[in-house]
């Protein structure tokens, strides 16, 4: 019999205690006699030993980590969080989404947070974005041959939801918030944050 080297999980400890209690109770009920603590322990150890061959802890080493937690249904989830100092006049890549897609942000003086979805490949792409900002709600769209960009904001603060697909089947979609300088308790930065799925 191979020796189990990993420590038992909390669930296994509870199960073993329940097994010991059950065996002790069964022994008392069956014999009509009191079983000592030592006898109960021996009975439990014998039961555990007889069932140990069927136990497996092959993956116990990585049970505390979900190695593919960022993948859902074949899609990758990307957390977006960026703060650009004022001023950052030129668009800067704040997230490489893969598949030719990038999120780019800027923080120029006077106009505040600017955000766009850039597509860098020379194939067909369809992009849509719904924008909610302090100036109201709008819709942006582009159906073209890349490379191209799509504006994801129409004012200095708000939220955008966007989706895009290429002719080869790569799909990105996400929801992002963006905020003007003075966000995060007065920091002189433009902030961009949210999540994007890519697949």
């Amino acid at each position: 019999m191979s020796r189990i080297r990993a420590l038992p999980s909390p669930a296994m400890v509870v199960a073993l205690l329940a097994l010991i209690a059950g065996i002790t109770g069964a022994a008392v009920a069956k014999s009509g006699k009191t079983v000592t603590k030592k006898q109960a322990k021996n009975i439990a150890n014998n039961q555990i030993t007889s069932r140990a061959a069927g136990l497996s802890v092959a993956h116990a080493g990585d049970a505390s980590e979900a190695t593919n937690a960022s993948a859902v249904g074949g899609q990758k989830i990307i957390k977006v969080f960026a703060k650009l100092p004022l001023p950052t006049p030129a668009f800067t890549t704040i997230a490489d989404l893969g598949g030719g897609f990038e999120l780019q942000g800027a923080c120029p003086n006077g106009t505040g947070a600017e955000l766009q979805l850039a597509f860098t490949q020379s194939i067909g792409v369809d992009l849509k974005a719904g924008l909610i900002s302090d100036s109201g709600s709008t819709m942006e769209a582009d159906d073209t041959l890349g490379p191209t960009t799509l504006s994801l904001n129409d004012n200095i603060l708000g939220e955008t939801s966007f989706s895009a697909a290429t002719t080869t089947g790569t799909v990105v979609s996400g929801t992002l918030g963006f905020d003007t300088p003075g966000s995060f308790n007065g920091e002189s930065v433009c902030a961009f944050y949210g999540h994007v799925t890519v697949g």
Side-chain angles (χ1 to χ4, degrees), residues 5-31:
R5 293 193 174 102
L7 292 175
S9 67
M12 180 64 83
V13 172
V14 171
L16 291 174
L17 290 174
L19 177 64
I20 291 170
I23 291 170
T24 303
V28 171
K30 185 175 180 182
S31 67

Side-chain angles (χ1 to χ4, degrees), residues 86-91 105-115 133-134 153-158 178-182 189-192:
L86 179 71
T88 305
F91 276 103
C107 189
N109 278 321
T111 57
E114 294 184 7
L115 179 64
S133 68
D134 54 344
N153 70 307
D154 63 348
N155 214 321
I156 59 176
L157 61 96
F178 52 92
D179 205 349
T180 187
V189 296
C190 293
F192 308 91

Side-chain angles (χ1 to χ4, degrees), residues 20-196:
I20 291 170
I23 291 170
T24 303
V28 171
K30 185 175 180 182
S31 67
K33 299 177 184 176
T34 303
V35 177
T36 66
K37 189 185 284 187
K38 183 176 180 181
Q39 289 171 322
K41 183 177 178 181
N42 288 337
I43 293 169
N45 284 338
N46 289 338
Q47 290 294 317
I48 292 168
T49 300
S50 67
R51 288 170 171 77
L55 299 177
S56 173
V57 291
H59 300 289
D62 52 78
S64 62
E65 299 177 15
T67 54
N68 63 346
S70 63
V72 178
Q75 292 192 320
K76 184 177 175 183
I77 299 173
I78 298 173
K79 174 185 171 183
V80 177
F81 182 81
K83 296 190 293 185
L84 297 179
L86 179 71
T88 305
F91 276 103
T92 302
T93 299
I94 59 173
D96 184 350
L97 306 178
F101 290 98
E102 294 178 354
L103 287 171
Q104 299 176 345
C107 189
N109 278 321
T111 57
E114 294 184 7
L115 179 64
Q116 67 183 17
L117 178 65
F119 181 66
T120 60
Q121 296 183 6
S122 299
I123 58 174
V125 66
D126 193 6
L127 309 101
K128 302 282 187 291
L131 315 174
I132 300 172
S133 68
D134 54 344
S135 65
S137 60
T138 58
M139 177 76 177
E140 297 286 334
D142 193 8
D143 182 358
T144 186
L145 182 69
T148 188
T149 59
L150 182 72
S151 176
L152 297 181
N153 70 307
D154 63 348
N155 214 321
I156 59 176
L157 61 96
E159 182 178 87
T160 181
S161 293
F162 66 92
S163 296
T166 68
T167 55
T168 57
T170 299
V171 176
V172 300
S173 62
T175 301
L176 298 173
F178 52 92
D179 205 349
T180 187
S183 57
F184 293 111
N185 197 31
E187 286 185 54
S188 189
V189 296
C190 293
F192 308 91
Y193 43 86
H195 290 88
V196 180

